Short mmCIF file of all heavy atoms in Angstrom, two decimals:
data_model
loop_
_atom_site.label_atom_id
_atom_site.label_comp_id
_atom_site.label_asym_id
_atom_site.label_seq_id
_atom_site.Cartn_x
_atom_site.Cartn_y
_atom_site.Cartn_z
N VAL A 115 0.82 -1.22 0.00
CA VAL A 115 0.00 0.00 0.00
C VAL A 115 0.85 1.27 0.00
O VAL A 115 0.42 2.31 -0.49
CB VAL A 115 -0.97 0.01 1.20
CG1 VAL A 115 -2.02 -1.07 1.06
CG2 VAL A 115 -0.21 -0.14 2.51
N VAL A 116 2.07 1.20 0.54
CA VAL A 116 2.92 2.39 0.59
C VAL A 116 4.38 1.97 0.65
O VAL A 116 4.70 0.90 1.21
CB VAL A 116 2.57 3.28 1.80
CG1 VAL A 116 2.85 2.57 3.11
CG2 VAL A 116 3.30 4.62 1.75
N THR A 117 5.24 2.78 0.05
CA THR A 117 6.69 2.56 0.12
C THR A 117 7.32 3.76 0.81
O THR A 117 7.10 4.90 0.40
CB THR A 117 7.30 2.40 -1.28
OG1 THR A 117 6.66 1.31 -1.96
CG2 THR A 117 8.79 2.13 -1.19
N VAL A 118 8.09 3.49 1.86
CA VAL A 118 8.76 4.54 2.62
C VAL A 118 10.26 4.38 2.44
O VAL A 118 10.80 3.28 2.59
CB VAL A 118 8.39 4.48 4.12
CG1 VAL A 118 9.12 5.56 4.91
CG2 VAL A 118 6.88 4.61 4.30
N ALA A 119 10.94 5.47 2.10
CA ALA A 119 12.39 5.45 1.88
C ALA A 119 13.06 6.49 2.76
O ALA A 119 12.47 7.53 3.09
CB ALA A 119 12.72 5.72 0.42
N GLN A 120 14.27 6.20 3.16
CA GLN A 120 15.04 7.15 3.96
C GLN A 120 15.89 8.06 3.08
O GLN A 120 16.26 9.14 3.49
CB GLN A 120 15.96 6.39 4.93
CG GLN A 120 15.20 5.62 6.00
CD GLN A 120 16.13 4.83 6.90
OE1 GLN A 120 17.11 4.26 6.44
NE2 GLN A 120 15.81 4.78 8.18
N ASN A 121 16.20 7.59 1.86
CA ASN A 121 17.01 8.36 0.92
C ASN A 121 18.33 8.78 1.55
O ASN A 121 18.85 9.87 1.31
CB ASN A 121 16.25 9.61 0.45
CG ASN A 121 16.78 10.13 -0.87
OD1 ASN A 121 17.31 9.38 -1.67
ND2 ASN A 121 16.66 11.43 -1.09
N ARG A 122 18.89 7.91 2.36
CA ARG A 122 20.14 8.22 3.06
C ARG A 122 21.31 7.45 2.45
O ARG A 122 22.30 8.04 2.07
CB ARG A 122 20.00 7.85 4.55
CG ARG A 122 21.23 8.17 5.38
CD ARG A 122 20.99 7.75 6.82
NE ARG A 122 20.74 6.32 6.92
CZ ARG A 122 20.31 5.72 8.03
NH1 ARG A 122 20.07 6.43 9.12
NH2 ARG A 122 20.11 4.42 8.06
N ASP A 123 21.18 6.15 2.36
CA ASP A 123 22.21 5.33 1.72
C ASP A 123 21.71 4.91 0.35
O ASP A 123 20.63 4.32 0.23
CB ASP A 123 22.52 4.09 2.57
CG ASP A 123 23.14 4.46 3.90
OD1 ASP A 123 23.97 5.39 3.91
OD2 ASP A 123 22.80 3.83 4.91
N LEU A 124 22.49 5.22 -0.66
CA LEU A 124 22.09 4.95 -2.03
C LEU A 124 23.17 4.12 -2.74
O LEU A 124 24.28 3.97 -2.25
CB LEU A 124 21.89 6.27 -2.79
CG LEU A 124 20.84 7.23 -2.24
CD1 LEU A 124 20.87 8.54 -2.99
CD2 LEU A 124 19.44 6.61 -2.31
N GLN A 125 22.79 3.61 -3.87
CA GLN A 125 23.72 2.87 -4.71
C GLN A 125 23.78 3.52 -6.09
O GLN A 125 22.76 4.01 -6.60
CB GLN A 125 23.31 1.40 -4.85
CG GLN A 125 23.48 0.59 -3.59
CD GLN A 125 23.15 -0.88 -3.79
OE1 GLN A 125 22.56 -1.27 -4.80
NE2 GLN A 125 23.51 -1.72 -2.84
N LEU A 126 24.96 3.51 -6.68
CA LEU A 126 25.14 3.94 -8.06
C LEU A 126 25.47 2.69 -8.87
O LEU A 126 26.48 2.03 -8.63
CB LEU A 126 26.28 4.95 -8.18
CG LEU A 126 26.15 6.25 -7.40
CD1 LEU A 126 27.37 7.12 -7.61
CD2 LEU A 126 24.89 7.00 -7.80
N ARG A 127 24.59 2.37 -9.80
CA ARG A 127 24.80 1.16 -10.61
C ARG A 127 25.08 1.56 -12.05
O ARG A 127 24.23 2.17 -12.71
CB ARG A 127 23.58 0.24 -10.55
CG ARG A 127 23.84 -1.13 -11.19
CD ARG A 127 22.60 -2.01 -11.11
NE ARG A 127 22.88 -3.37 -11.54
CZ ARG A 127 22.93 -3.78 -12.80
NH1 ARG A 127 22.68 -2.91 -13.77
NH2 ARG A 127 23.19 -5.04 -13.11
N ALA A 128 26.28 1.24 -12.50
CA ALA A 128 26.70 1.56 -13.86
C ALA A 128 26.98 0.28 -14.62
O ALA A 128 27.13 -0.80 -14.02
CB ALA A 128 27.94 2.45 -13.84
N GLU A 129 27.05 0.39 -15.92
CA GLU A 129 27.42 -0.74 -16.77
C GLU A 129 28.50 -0.28 -17.73
O GLU A 129 28.38 0.77 -18.37
CB GLU A 129 26.19 -1.25 -17.55
CG GLU A 129 25.13 -1.87 -16.64
CD GLU A 129 23.95 -2.41 -17.42
OE1 GLU A 129 23.68 -1.87 -18.51
OE2 GLU A 129 23.31 -3.37 -16.95
N VAL A 130 29.60 -1.05 -17.81
CA VAL A 130 30.73 -0.69 -18.65
C VAL A 130 31.02 -1.80 -19.65
O VAL A 130 30.62 -2.96 -19.45
CB VAL A 130 31.99 -0.39 -17.80
CG1 VAL A 130 31.72 0.73 -16.81
CG2 VAL A 130 32.46 -1.64 -17.06
N ALA A 131 31.72 -1.44 -20.70
CA ALA A 131 32.05 -2.41 -21.75
C ALA A 131 33.07 -3.42 -21.23
O ALA A 131 33.90 -3.10 -20.38
CB ALA A 131 32.60 -1.68 -22.96
N PRO A 132 33.04 -4.64 -21.75
CA PRO A 132 33.98 -5.69 -21.30
C PRO A 132 35.45 -5.32 -21.48
O PRO A 132 36.31 -5.86 -20.78
CB PRO A 132 33.60 -6.88 -22.18
CG PRO A 132 32.18 -6.65 -22.55
CD PRO A 132 32.04 -5.18 -22.69
N ARG A 133 35.77 -4.39 -22.40
CA ARG A 133 37.18 -4.04 -22.61
C ARG A 133 37.80 -3.35 -21.40
O ARG A 133 39.02 -3.25 -21.29
CB ARG A 133 37.32 -3.14 -23.84
CG ARG A 133 36.71 -1.75 -23.72
CD ARG A 133 36.98 -0.93 -24.97
NE ARG A 133 36.45 0.42 -24.89
CZ ARG A 133 35.23 0.77 -25.23
NH1 ARG A 133 34.40 -0.16 -25.71
NH2 ARG A 133 34.81 2.02 -25.14
N TYR A 134 36.95 -2.87 -20.48
CA TYR A 134 37.46 -2.21 -19.28
C TYR A 134 37.62 -3.18 -18.10
O TYR A 134 37.97 -2.75 -17.00
CB TYR A 134 36.51 -1.08 -18.85
CG TYR A 134 36.42 0.05 -19.84
CD1 TYR A 134 35.21 0.36 -20.45
CD2 TYR A 134 37.53 0.82 -20.17
CE1 TYR A 134 35.10 1.40 -21.36
CE2 TYR A 134 37.44 1.87 -21.08
CZ TYR A 134 36.22 2.14 -21.67
OH TYR A 134 36.12 3.18 -22.56
N TYR A 135 37.34 -4.45 -18.32
CA TYR A 135 37.32 -5.40 -17.20
C TYR A 135 38.65 -5.42 -16.44
O TYR A 135 38.66 -5.43 -15.21
CB TYR A 135 36.99 -6.80 -17.72
CG TYR A 135 36.99 -7.86 -16.64
CD1 TYR A 135 35.95 -7.92 -15.71
CD2 TYR A 135 38.03 -8.77 -16.52
CE1 TYR A 135 35.95 -8.88 -14.70
CE2 TYR A 135 38.03 -9.73 -15.52
CZ TYR A 135 36.99 -9.78 -14.62
OH TYR A 135 37.01 -10.71 -13.61
N ALA A 136 39.77 -5.44 -17.15
CA ALA A 136 41.07 -5.52 -16.48
C ALA A 136 41.34 -4.29 -15.61
O ALA A 136 42.06 -4.37 -14.61
CB ALA A 136 42.18 -5.68 -17.52
N ALA A 137 40.76 -3.15 -15.98
CA ALA A 137 41.01 -1.91 -15.23
C ALA A 137 40.15 -1.80 -13.98
O ALA A 137 40.46 -1.02 -13.07
CB ALA A 137 40.78 -0.70 -16.12
N LEU A 138 39.08 -2.58 -13.90
CA LEU A 138 38.14 -2.45 -12.78
C LEU A 138 38.76 -2.83 -11.44
O LEU A 138 38.33 -2.35 -10.40
CB LEU A 138 36.89 -3.28 -13.04
CG LEU A 138 36.02 -2.83 -14.23
CD1 LEU A 138 34.81 -3.75 -14.39
CD2 LEU A 138 35.57 -1.39 -14.06
N LYS A 139 39.77 -3.69 -11.46
CA LYS A 139 40.39 -4.07 -10.18
C LYS A 139 41.29 -2.96 -9.64
O LYS A 139 41.76 -3.05 -8.50
CB LYS A 139 41.21 -5.35 -10.38
CG LYS A 139 42.39 -5.25 -11.32
CD LYS A 139 43.14 -6.58 -11.37
CE LYS A 139 44.34 -6.52 -12.30
NZ LYS A 139 43.93 -6.32 -13.71
N ASN A 140 41.52 -1.91 -10.44
CA ASN A 140 42.38 -0.81 -10.02
C ASN A 140 41.61 0.49 -9.82
O ASN A 140 42.17 1.58 -9.92
CB ASN A 140 43.49 -0.58 -11.06
CG ASN A 140 44.40 -1.78 -11.21
OD1 ASN A 140 44.76 -2.42 -10.22
ND2 ASN A 140 44.77 -2.11 -12.44
N ILE A 141 40.31 0.39 -9.53
CA ILE A 141 39.49 1.59 -9.34
C ILE A 141 39.97 2.36 -8.11
O ILE A 141 40.15 1.80 -7.03
CB ILE A 141 38.00 1.22 -9.18
CG1 ILE A 141 37.46 0.68 -10.50
CG2 ILE A 141 37.18 2.43 -8.74
CD1 ILE A 141 36.02 0.21 -10.42
N THR A 142 40.20 3.66 -8.30
CA THR A 142 40.64 4.52 -7.20
C THR A 142 39.58 5.50 -6.75
O THR A 142 39.68 6.05 -5.65
CB THR A 142 41.90 5.30 -7.61
OG1 THR A 142 41.60 6.08 -8.79
CG2 THR A 142 43.05 4.36 -7.91
N GLY A 143 38.58 5.75 -7.57
CA GLY A 143 37.56 6.71 -7.16
C GLY A 143 36.55 6.91 -8.26
O GLY A 143 36.64 6.35 -9.36
N VAL A 144 35.55 7.73 -7.95
CA VAL A 144 34.49 8.06 -8.90
C VAL A 144 34.15 9.53 -8.75
O VAL A 144 34.00 10.03 -7.62
CB VAL A 144 33.21 7.21 -8.66
CG1 VAL A 144 32.11 7.63 -9.63
CG2 VAL A 144 33.50 5.74 -8.80
N ASN A 145 34.05 10.22 -9.86
CA ASN A 145 33.58 11.60 -9.88
C ASN A 145 32.20 11.61 -10.51
O ASN A 145 31.97 10.99 -11.55
CB ASN A 145 34.54 12.50 -10.65
CG ASN A 145 35.92 12.51 -10.02
OD1 ASN A 145 36.06 12.44 -8.80
ND2 ASN A 145 36.96 12.62 -10.84
N ILE A 146 31.27 12.33 -9.87
CA ILE A 146 29.85 12.25 -10.23
C ILE A 146 29.35 13.63 -10.62
O ILE A 146 29.51 14.60 -9.87
CB ILE A 146 29.02 11.72 -9.04
CG1 ILE A 146 29.60 10.38 -8.57
CG2 ILE A 146 27.55 11.59 -9.41
CD1 ILE A 146 29.32 10.09 -7.12
N ARG A 147 28.73 13.72 -11.80
CA ARG A 147 28.14 14.97 -12.25
C ARG A 147 26.62 14.77 -12.37
O ARG A 147 26.15 13.93 -13.13
CB ARG A 147 28.71 15.40 -13.60
CG ARG A 147 28.18 16.75 -14.09
CD ARG A 147 28.75 17.11 -15.45
NE ARG A 147 30.19 17.34 -15.37
CZ ARG A 147 30.75 18.49 -15.02
NH1 ARG A 147 29.97 19.52 -14.67
NH2 ARG A 147 32.05 18.62 -15.00
N VAL A 148 25.89 15.57 -11.60
CA VAL A 148 24.43 15.49 -11.61
C VAL A 148 23.91 16.33 -12.76
O VAL A 148 24.42 17.44 -13.02
CB VAL A 148 23.85 15.98 -10.27
CG1 VAL A 148 22.32 15.91 -10.28
CG2 VAL A 148 24.42 15.17 -9.12
N ALA A 149 22.91 15.82 -13.47
CA ALA A 149 22.34 16.54 -14.60
C ALA A 149 21.83 17.91 -14.17
O ALA A 149 21.16 18.04 -13.13
CB ALA A 149 21.21 15.73 -15.23
N GLY A 150 22.16 18.93 -14.94
CA GLY A 150 21.72 20.29 -14.64
C GLY A 150 22.57 21.01 -13.62
O GLY A 150 22.24 22.11 -13.20
N SER A 151 23.69 20.40 -13.22
CA SER A 151 24.57 21.03 -12.24
C SER A 151 25.99 21.06 -12.79
O SER A 151 26.43 20.14 -13.47
CB SER A 151 24.55 20.25 -10.92
OG SER A 151 25.52 20.75 -10.02
N ASP A 152 26.70 22.16 -12.48
CA ASP A 152 28.10 22.28 -12.91
C ASP A 152 29.06 21.68 -11.90
O ASP A 152 30.25 21.52 -12.20
CB ASP A 152 28.45 23.77 -13.13
CG ASP A 152 27.69 24.36 -14.30
OD1 ASP A 152 27.35 23.61 -15.22
OD2 ASP A 152 27.42 25.58 -14.28
N SER A 153 28.57 21.38 -10.71
CA SER A 153 29.44 20.86 -9.67
C SER A 153 29.67 19.36 -9.87
O SER A 153 28.83 18.66 -10.44
CB SER A 153 28.85 21.11 -8.28
OG SER A 153 27.61 20.45 -8.15
N VAL A 154 30.82 18.89 -9.41
CA VAL A 154 31.18 17.48 -9.50
C VAL A 154 31.42 16.95 -8.09
O VAL A 154 32.18 17.54 -7.32
CB VAL A 154 32.44 17.28 -10.37
CG1 VAL A 154 32.85 15.81 -10.38
CG2 VAL A 154 32.19 17.75 -11.79
N LEU A 155 30.76 15.85 -7.75
CA LEU A 155 30.92 15.21 -6.45
C LEU A 155 31.89 14.05 -6.58
O LEU A 155 31.90 13.35 -7.61
CB LEU A 155 29.57 14.70 -5.94
CG LEU A 155 28.45 15.73 -5.80
CD1 LEU A 155 27.13 15.03 -5.49
CD2 LEU A 155 28.78 16.74 -4.72
N THR A 156 32.69 13.83 -5.57
CA THR A 156 33.61 12.69 -5.58
C THR A 156 33.08 11.60 -4.65
O THR A 156 32.23 11.85 -3.79
CB THR A 156 35.02 13.11 -5.13
OG1 THR A 156 34.98 13.47 -3.73
CG2 THR A 156 35.52 14.30 -5.93
N LEU A 157 33.62 10.40 -4.83
CA LEU A 157 33.22 9.29 -3.97
C LEU A 157 33.58 9.59 -2.52
O LEU A 157 32.85 9.22 -1.60
CB LEU A 157 33.91 8.01 -4.45
CG LEU A 157 33.29 6.68 -3.99
CD1 LEU A 157 31.88 6.53 -4.54
CD2 LEU A 157 34.15 5.52 -4.45
N ALA A 158 34.69 10.28 -2.30
CA ALA A 158 35.10 10.65 -0.95
C ALA A 158 34.13 11.66 -0.35
O ALA A 158 33.82 11.61 0.85
CB ALA A 158 36.52 11.22 -0.96
N ASP A 159 33.63 12.60 -1.16
CA ASP A 159 32.66 13.59 -0.68
C ASP A 159 31.42 12.91 -0.12
O ASP A 159 30.80 13.39 0.83
CB ASP A 159 32.25 14.55 -1.80
CG ASP A 159 33.39 15.44 -2.25
OD1 ASP A 159 34.33 15.66 -1.44
OD2 ASP A 159 33.35 15.92 -3.40
N LEU A 160 31.02 11.80 -0.73
CA LEU A 160 29.79 11.09 -0.36
C LEU A 160 30.06 9.90 0.56
O LEU A 160 29.17 9.08 0.76
CB LEU A 160 29.08 10.61 -1.63
CG LEU A 160 28.70 11.71 -2.63
CD1 LEU A 160 28.05 11.11 -3.87
CD2 LEU A 160 27.76 12.73 -1.98
N HIS A 161 31.28 9.83 1.10
CA HIS A 161 31.65 8.73 2.01
C HIS A 161 31.30 7.38 1.37
O HIS A 161 30.77 6.48 2.03
CB HIS A 161 30.93 8.88 3.35
CG HIS A 161 31.13 10.21 4.00
ND1 HIS A 161 32.30 10.58 4.60
CD2 HIS A 161 30.30 11.29 4.11
CE1 HIS A 161 32.19 11.81 5.07
NE2 HIS A 161 30.99 12.27 4.77
N GLY A 162 31.61 7.26 0.09
CA GLY A 162 31.23 6.07 -0.65
C GLY A 162 32.35 5.07 -0.80
O GLY A 162 33.49 5.30 -0.41
#
């Protein structure tokens, strides 16, 4: 009847081409750009 969310902990789910598979084990961070915004958030900014 109703869905309640806290909107506190979220997940970012991306899909990448198989040619990047070898590089995925060396991920150091993620920079995030929200549509309509000039600012860029980092994974560290979001405690991710």
Side-chain angles (χ1 to χ4, degrees):
V115 293
V116 64
T117 303
V118 179
Q120 294 177 321
N121 202 27
R122 182 181 60 190
D123 295 321
L124 301 173
Q125 289 184 347
L126 300 179
R127 189 180 188 279
E129 293 181 332
V130 302
R133 67 177 181 272
Y134 295 118
Y135 178 74
L138 295 179
K139 64 178 180 295
N140 298 320
I141 291 177
T142 58
V144 178
N145 299 325
I146 305 153
R147 183 182 294 276
V148 180
S151 173
D152 293 331
S153 61
V154 176
L155 303 171
T156 68
L157 199 63
D159 293 336
L160 302 178
H161 306 286

